[in-house]
């Protein structure tokens, strides 16, 4: 029995040291980032909000983000784990398509970007593609009584190329875009 205890203790202490060093390494890296490991916060109407966590917007005067499989609950991220042939999943996607077409009557089903009808792997993606934002221009412009050109210009100003993958499409942070809409005079 003694021959098993010593290796088990050595392995336990070794793994604790490795995990401890890794944790301190990640913590140290986080502390040298611009946000000091706290996530990107912006102030909207005097309230601090995290721009790196997807949030739900349902009013017509705001851009809507990606659907969430976890109801935008940042305490537990995750996907739906339903395959592309799952009837329940296909019904959810069809319901999202129908809702989008009702909310955006000037658009057609053919023009719906996939990120407006499918949730991300985490269910908390704060970004949408530029095409997904442009899909919503007419609705937002009409609800805010501003020109579609002005809304398109705002999308272009908030589009970002900050992707890890080269040649990835531009993206737009939905919270930042909606905050920019609020700041329009």
């Amino acid at each position: 029995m003694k021959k098993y205890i010593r290796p088990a203790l050595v392995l336990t202490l070794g793994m604790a040291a490795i995990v401890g060093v890794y944790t301190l390494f990640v913590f140290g890296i986080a502390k040298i980032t611009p946000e000091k490991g706290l996530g990107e916060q912006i102030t909207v109407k005097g309230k601090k909000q995290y721009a790196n966590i997807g949030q739900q917007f349902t009013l017509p005067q705001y851009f809507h983000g990606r659907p969430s499989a976890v109801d935008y609950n940042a305490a537990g991220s995750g996907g739906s784990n339903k395959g592309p042939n799952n009837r329940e999943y296909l019904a959810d996607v069809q319901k999202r398509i129908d809702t989008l077409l009702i909310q955006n009557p000037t658009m057609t089903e053919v023009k719906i970007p996939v990120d407006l009808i499918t949730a991300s792997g985490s269910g908390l993606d704060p970004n949408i593609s530029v095409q997904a934002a442009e899909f919503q221009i007419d609705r937002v412009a009409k609800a805010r009584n501003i020109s579609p050109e002005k809304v398109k210009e705002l999308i272009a100003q908030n589009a970002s190329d900050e992707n890890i993958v080269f040649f990835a499409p531009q993206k737009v942070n939905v919270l930042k875009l909606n905050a920019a809409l609020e700041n329009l005079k």
Side-chain angles (χ1 to χ4, degrees):
M1 178 135 135
K2 281 186 179 181
K3 74 177 189 174
Y4 297 115
I5 292 176
R6 185 172 190 274
L9 285 174
V10 169
L11 182 62
T12 301
L13 292 174
M15 289 307 297
I18 290 170
V19 169
V21 168
Y22 173 76
T23 302
L24 290 174
F25 175 74
V26 171
F27 180 76
I29 294 294
K31 288 300 177 186
I32 63 172
T33 63
E35 291 85 20
K36 305 289 185 227
L38 299 174
E40 185 179 1
Q41 295 180 354
I42 64 171
T43 304
V44 181
K45 294 183 177 180
K47 183 179 173 187
K48 284 191 176 188
Q49 296 190 19
Y50 287 96
N52 56 335
I53 297 175
Q55 299 176 36
Q56 185 174 28
F57 295 94
T58 56
L59 297 175
Q61 63 265 29
Y62 292 110
F63 285 93
H64 302 172
R66 288 191 79 163
S68 174
V70 294
D71 201 29
Y72 302 96
N73 181 357
S77 67
S80 70
N81 293 333
K82 295 175 184 168
N85 294 328
N86 181 293
R87 290 177 198 251
E88 188 178 324
Y89 175 73
L90 293 173
D92 288 344
V93 169
Q94 188 59 53
K95 194 181 314 177
R96 291 173 186 157
I97 290 170
D98 296 342
T99 302
L100 279 170
L101 293 174
I102 290 168
Q103 292 172 341
N104 302 281
T106 62
M107 302 306 282
T108 64
E109 186 173 337
V110 174
K111 294 184 179 185
I112 297 176
V114 71
D115 52 332
L116 287 178
I117 57 173
T118 58
S120 66
S122 69
L124 298 171
D125 192 349
N127 304 314
I128 56 174
S129 64
V130 170
Q131 293 77 16
E134 289 175 347
F135 180 86
Q136 303 177 64
I137 286 176
D138 291 340
R139 173 181 44 81
V140 172
K142 182 179 178 186
R144 290 190 173 264
N145 200 25
I146 56 178
S147 73
E149 292 77 24
K150 181 67 178 168
V151 177
K152 187 169 182 140
E153 181 182 315
L154 200 60
I155 293 169
Q157 290 169 359
N158 285 278
S160 169
D161 278 334
E162 299 171 10
N163 289 303
I164 295 172
V165 181
F166 294 107
F167 307 112
Q170 285 189 316
K171 59 186 178 183
V172 181
N173 184 287
V174 178
L175 178 63
K176 289 180 182 179
L177 183 57
N178 286 332
L181 276 171
E182 286 296 312
N183 292 330
L184 281 178
K185 298 294 177 204

